[in-house]
Amino acid sequence: MSDQFTFTVTNNTDLAITELWASLDDDEWSQFTLAEEGIPVGEAVTIAWAEYTNDSPCEWYISAVFEDDSESESALFNFCEEPDLVFG
């Protein structure tokens, strides 16, 4: 059985997060599976990485899509050093 890597996303914006995307190169993106309600305003959720990412680098670009279809700027996060993301 392999370890399941997780991280926490906190939404401190005024809009619910409906989609969360990750990329190693800020070019090719993969979508995280979120609950139907996404990440509501003021809430934090724990998200698991897909097992195929277990041997990947620590640094990933992350971008969020909000309920009004606006998108955050992609930002580079080091998940080995800081496993908690905060939007807003």
Side-chain angles (χ1 to χ4, degrees):
M1 178 189 244
S2 64
D3 292 330
Q4 185 76 42
F5 295 103
T6 62
F7 63 101
T8 301
V9 178
T10 302
N11 182 3
N12 287 339
T13 70
D14 294 331
L15 298 167
I17 295 172
T18 57
E19 298 176 19
L20 195 64
W21 294 81
S23 173
L24 279 172
D25 58 9
D26 204 21
D27 188 35
E28 292 185 35
W29 292 84
S30 297
Q31 186 176 8
F32 284 99
T33 302
L34 299 178
E36 188 174 325
E37 68 274 8
I39 305 171
V41 173
E43 299 214 7
V45 298
T46 300
I47 298 176
W49 286 98
E51 201 170 311
Y52 75 87
T53 65
N54 285 359
D55 294 324
S56 66
C58 292
E59 292 186 337
W60 286 77
Y61 289 92
I62 300 293
S63 180
V65 177
F66 299 95
E67 62 186 328
D68 67 354
D69 291 327
S70 63
E71 298 178 20
S72 70
E73 293 288 323
S74 62
L76 187 62
F77 290 95
N78 186 323
F79 288 94
C80 296
E81 295 177 3
E82 185 59 47
D84 299 321
L85 301 179
V86 178
F87 285 92

